[in-house]
Amino acid sequence: MTKTILAIDDSASVRLMVKMTLSGAGYTVVEAADGEQGLEIARSCRPDAVLTDQNMPRLDGIGFIRKFRQMQESEGVPVVFISTESDSGVVQQARSAGATGWIVKPFDQEKLLSVVGKLVKL
C-alpha cells in the first residue's frame, strides 16, 4: 500500500524536488503552500508523515505542528521540521511542539529519502 507524505513549503521549487524524489521512491506526495493549507489537507487525507518548512506566510511550521498535534488525525504521524535555521532554540521549539525530527536546508535527495524511509516504511 502506498504511503502518503504531506509536504508543506511556500517554495514551489522545494515542493517539486520533494515530490519528484519521494514519488520516484514509491510514495504519494500531497502538497501545501503554507501551514493553514497543510491543516486543511491533513483533515481531509490522513498523511503517513508530514514534512513542514518553518518560514511560511499565514502559518509557520512551528504553528502548524502545534495545531496539527491538537488534531486527532495527527496521532502516530511523524512530522519532520525543515528549515534553513539550524539554531538549537528553533529546533527545540519544533520538538516541543511535536516534531519527530528535522532536516536543515539545503538538503539532498538521499538525505530526504533516508529520513522519510526511517519514519515511514513502504
Side-chain angles (χ1 to χ4, degrees):
M1 187 166 136
T2 301
K3 301 293 184 172
T4 301
I5 310 299
L6 172 56
I8 308 169
D9 199 304
D10 59 328
S11 168
S13 61
V14 170
R15 290 194 316 269
L16 179 62
M17 189 274 284
V18 167
K19 185 171 190 162
M20 288 176 56
T21 301
L22 296 179
S23 295
Y27 297 95
T28 297
V29 179
V30 181
E31 301 174 57
D34 60 46
E36 287 293 337
Q37 187 180 27
L39 288 172
E40 292 170 20
I41 291 170
R43 285 184 189 100
S44 63
C45 84
R46 186 182 188 275
D48 295 292
V50 176
L51 307 173
T52 184
D53 184 28
Q54 167 54 12
N55 298 312
M56 299 179 289
R58 297 200 315 155
L59 183 62
D60 67 14
I62 292 172
F64 165 82
I65 295 168
R66 287 186 180 126
K67 289 185 175 191
F68 180 64
R69 289 299 184 209
Q70 293 173 358
M71 297 168 48
Q72 188 174 10
E73 295 87 350
S74 78
E75 189 175 333
V77 177
V79 176
V80 177
F81 181 71
I82 301 174
S83 180
T84 55
E85 300 175 40
S86 57
D87 174 56
S88 63
V90 174
V91 171
Q92 185 54 44
Q93 286 179 32
R95 226 183 249 277
S96 295
T100 310
W102 75 91
I103 298 175
V104 177
K105 285 182 186 176
F107 55 89
D108 60 31
Q109 294 172 319
E110 290 78 27
K111 174 76 171 175
L112 179 63
L113 287 170
S114 172
V115 169
V116 172
K118 288 177 185 172
L119 298 172
V120 181
K121 303 293 184 219
L122 283 175

